[in-house]
Structures are given as C-alpha cells and as structure tokens.
Amino acid sequence: MFTSRITGLGKFLPERIVTNEELSALMDTSHDWIVERTGIHERRFVPKDSDEGTASMGVKAAEQAIARAGISKDDIDLIVFATLSPDYYFPGSGVLLQDLMGIGTCPALDVRNQCSGFVYSLSVADQFIKTGMYKNVLVVGSEYHSGGLDLTTRGRTVSVIFGDGAGAAVVSRSSESDKGILSTHLHSEGKHAKELSIIGPSTKKWIHDVFEDYDPNDMDYHPYMNGQLVFKNAVVRFSEVIRQALEANDLQPSDIDMLVPHQANLRIAQFVQKKFGLTDDQVYNNIMRYGNTTAASIPIALCEAWEEGKIKEGDHVMLAAFGSGFTWGSAMIRW
Ligand code: UT7
C-alpha cells in the first residue's frame, strides 16, 4: 500500500494590488461594505497590458513547488490543473502549462470544479498514487478572474470578491504509512448548478451569437451568484464535510492543527471556526489580501501557512472547500 504526501508547495500572485477604494471609484460600493460582508481589503489583478494567463501563472507556482519538492519537472508523471477560468475554451490549461514548462508527454488533466477544484484535484492525485500508477503528480489551481468581472455597479455583488492568482502542490509517493493524505471526501449537488455560474459563451450560447447579437445587458455573459443561497449552503456543507473527514480518521476538532478553508468569505470561515470551537491559531485565512481566488485559494493559503512556519511535520492539516456546482470536499492530511 502506497501513501501520498505533499512534498512541495508554490504560489504566484500578480503584483498589481487592487484596493477596495479603487473598486469604489468604478462602482457603487465602499471599503466598509466589502470588509464587513467579506473581510476582503485588497486583491490582485493581472495587469491590463500583461500577457500573463491562467496557465502561465500556474507555471510560476508549479516551478516553485517542484523546486521545493526536490525533484525535476521530468519526474512529473501527471499534471492535474484546476481552473474555472481556462486560457482557452479548449484545450485545457493543463496541456498549455505542460508546453510552457517543457514537460514531455505525461498526461495532463483539467478539473472543472471551481472553488473545490483543488480539493478534487488533490483527491485525483491521491488515488493515482495510492493505486501505484504514478509517483509524482503536479496539482495546480490557477485563476484569471479579473478580465471577466463586471466592474460596474451591476456586477458589484460578484466583482468585489474575486481575485487572480495561482498555487501548486507536488504530491508524491511515500513509504511512511502514518503521514500524508489520510482521506479525501468529495460531493456535489447539480440542482444548484446555475446559482453560481457563467452561462456563455458555451454550447448553450454559441460564440457566433455573441458576435451577432451581443447584448452587454445579457447577464448570461457575466458571472452570476445567488450570494445568500451560496452562503447558506456553504456553512452547512463546510461543516458536514469537515465532520466527515474527522470521523473517517477518528479525530476530534481539537486534533486539527491547521484548517485551511477555501477563501470564499471571511464570515464563512469564522462561522466554521466557531462551530468546531477552533482557536485563531487553528485556522488560516488570507482572503483579506487576495480575495477569493477560487481553485487557487487553498494552495495559495496552504503555501503561505507553510512558508510562515504554521504547518509543521506531524501536524493534522484539514482542507475544506465549497463552491459552484454546488461542489464541496475536504482532505485530511498528516504533514
Ligand atoms: O467561492 C465560491 C463561493 N462563494 C461564496 O461562498 C460567497 C457566498 N456569499 C457571500 O459571500 C455573500 O452573500 C456576499 C458577500 C456575496 C453578499 O453579502 P450579503 O451579506 O449576503 O449581502 P446581500 O446580497 O444580502 O446584499 C445586502 C445589500 C443589498 O442591498 P439592499 O437590497 O439591502 O438595499 C445589496 O444590493 O448590499 C447590497 N450590495 C452591495 N453594496 C455595496 C451587494 N453588493 C454590494 C457591494 N457594495 N459590492
């Protein structure tokens, strides 16, 4: 029986900082509203004149993760790339990253599970390693939201929340049976698919229709979020899936050394913290600085927590995510 461990972490944030004040100049919002409702103070946007993209940001995070894992890019057996903002309609960003990094012909797989994309991807990596098929899997979460946000008052409920960035992890085969990814737990409920979505361009809204009849007021071309419904489901599902991971491993909330929740809204993370009676030292949040970076949020936060020395060998680290689909999941890791 093989076990899988995260052996390297990396992150990349575009250097352009966008403050709440900057957004307040573009739409009817305010620093106080955004901080009170979401906890966000600033986020990063890819600079407008840059040719940075989802795959290229992923490359920077991946290179750091691979270097920290002490392996070469040629040792990667599988690329799993999570994003809701791919460079192209097709092919996926995984093969673009492969090309940019000069990685040969290993398989590359895109995972489209939005905010829970990294947890889903980690689970995919874990299964391939535990079955003995692969030794080193590169898992990347990268998002380029800013170009698609409606930065007017019409889009303010969504656009003040999201930011750009990338995170990556190398997941490797290990012989230490008591450490590594102990379990992953995945769920989805498609009946809420449209409650957090962009409908077009797509096969429901073909690209030629966009050119011929483009109506800037057609909300199908903008991200839509039923914020209150998402919030209500998020707090329930986060709690369920964390409890599921604890029970599967016969652990108590007090055994969690670090919970890294998907950075959706600081209020959601605080609700979960309170529900499980966790201290501030047991939960890592960085939404204040980066906003919600969807599939990138957990690997960025995990990487930052590790860089700050808040995750140490032997620690129980819990990852948990919820988002569009609805999809949600958790991972229990012994570091
Ligand atoms: O990562 C994927 C998962 N996503 C999430 O988990 C997000 C979950 N949802 C949320 O985080 C929250 O629902 C939001 C942050 C999106 C919104 O917060 P809320 O407390 O649910 O606000 P609301 O939608 O109930 O809106 C309250 C008021 C409304 O005005 P009225 O009707 O009370 O006059 C909105 O029109 O705030 C208004 N509003 C804003 N005001 C200033 C909505 N967006 C803004 C804004 N600035 N950006």
Side-chain angles (χ1 to χ4, degrees):
M1 177 70 183
F2 300 108
T3 56
S4 50
R5 289 190 72 180
I6 293 179
T7 50
L9 289 163
K11 68 180 196 310
F12 173 76
L13 280 314
E15 62 190 25
R16 186 176 163 225
I17 296 172
V18 177
T19 62
N20 293 340
E21 284 79 7
E22 201 174 330
L23 294 182
S24 305
L26 300 173
M27 64 186 83
D28 182 12
T29 191
S30 67
H31 175 71
D32 290 348
W33 190 96
I34 299 171
V35 171
E36 188 192 319
R37 303 292 176 127
T38 71
I40 299 166
H41 287 243
E42 59 189 39
R43 73 287 293 142
R44 304 295 180 95
F45 280 5
V46 168
K48 280 204 182 79
D49 52 355
S50 139
D51 58 5
E52 196 74 84
T54 303
S56 68
M57 288 194 288
V59 167
K60 289 169 184 151
E63 284 173 344
Q64 194 176 40
I66 288 170
R68 285 171 170 171
I71 61 168
S72 144
K73 63 181 169 59
D74 301 321
D75 297 321
I76 299 296
D77 301 312
L78 168 70
I79 298 162
V80 187
F81 198 116
T83 186
L84 67 69
S85 49
D87 299 73
Y88 303 143
Y89 193 97
F90 75 85
S93 294
V95 294
L96 302 182
L97 170 136
Q98 180 178 39
D99 183 44
L100 287 168
M101 291 185 70
I103 297 177
T105 59
C106 80
L109 169 73
D110 274 38
V111 166
R112 294 195 48 187
N113 282 68
Q114 301 69 248
C115 301
S116 52
F118 184 79
V119 173
Y120 265 75
S121 300
L122 198 65
S123 183
V124 170
D126 186 40
Q127 311 313 318
F128 272 120
I129 287 171
K130 283 183 175 154
T131 58
M133 187 153 173
Y134 296 129
K135 279 188 187 164
N136 296 301
V137 181
L138 174 63
V139 180
V140 179
S142 181
E143 302 287 4
Y144 182 175
H145 289 304
S146 57
L149 295 173
D150 177 3
L151 295 170
T152 69
T153 298
R154 184 182 54 192
R156 65 182 181 175
T157 312
V158 172
S159 56
V160 299
I161 295 175
F162 293 95
D164 303 334
V170 173
V171 186
S172 301
R173 184 189 291 178
S174 163
S175 51
E176 290 181 87
S177 58
D178 60 335
K179 289 197 187 117
I181 300 173
L182 302 179
S183 65
T184 56
H185 307 271
L186 309 177
H187 301 274
S188 50
E189 188 176 27
K191 76 175 182 185
H192 297 303
K194 285 191 179 168
E195 303 294 350
L196 179 45
S197 59
I198 300 185
I199 302 301
S202 67
T203 55
K204 294 282 180 204
K205 291 258 176 182
W206 283 105
I207 195 75
H208 46 78
D209 296 334
V210 182
F211 285 121
E212 281 165 23
D213 316 310
Y214 180 63
D215 171 4
N217 293 316
D218 185 341
M219 294 311 288
D220 282 355
Y221 298 120
H222 299 288
Y224 167 75
M225 178 166 70
N226 181 345
Q228 290 191 0
L229 183 82
V230 174
F231 194 102
K232 281 180 197 151
N233 276 267
V235 292
V236 172
R237 297 308 193 183
F238 261 109
S239 304
E240 281 176 7
V241 84
I242 289 171
R243 196 170 305 286
Q244 187 180 20
L246 288 172
E247 283 172 9
N249 294 287
D250 202 15
L251 294 169
Q252 303 300 318
S254 55
D255 295 319
I256 298 174
D257 295 294
M258 187 57 78
L259 167 65
V260 181
H262 163 53
Q263 300 293 291
N265 183 322
L266 192 60
R267 287 190 293 144
I268 295 176
Q270 287 168 340
F271 178 95
V272 172
Q273 175 176 342
K274 201 169 163 201
K275 176 142 189 149
F276 287 93
L278 304 176
T279 65
D280 289 349
D281 290 341
Q282 286 174 283
V283 185
Y284 192 83
N285 289 306
N286 61 6
I287 192 169
M288 306 71 90
R289 295 189 291 284
Y290 306 132
N292 179 344
T293 56
T294 317
S297 96
I298 288 183
I300 292 172
L302 188 61
C303 181
E304 220 169 61
W306 176 81
E307 285 169 348
E308 291 171 12
K310 292 180 175 164
I311 293 175
K312 296 173 291 302
E313 182 124 3
D315 279 356
H316 282 115
V317 178
M318 171 85 77
L319 312 181
F322 175 88
S324 162
F326 295 151
T327 62
W328 62 101
S330 62
M332 186 77 234
I333 302 168
R334 182 119 198 273
W335 209 261

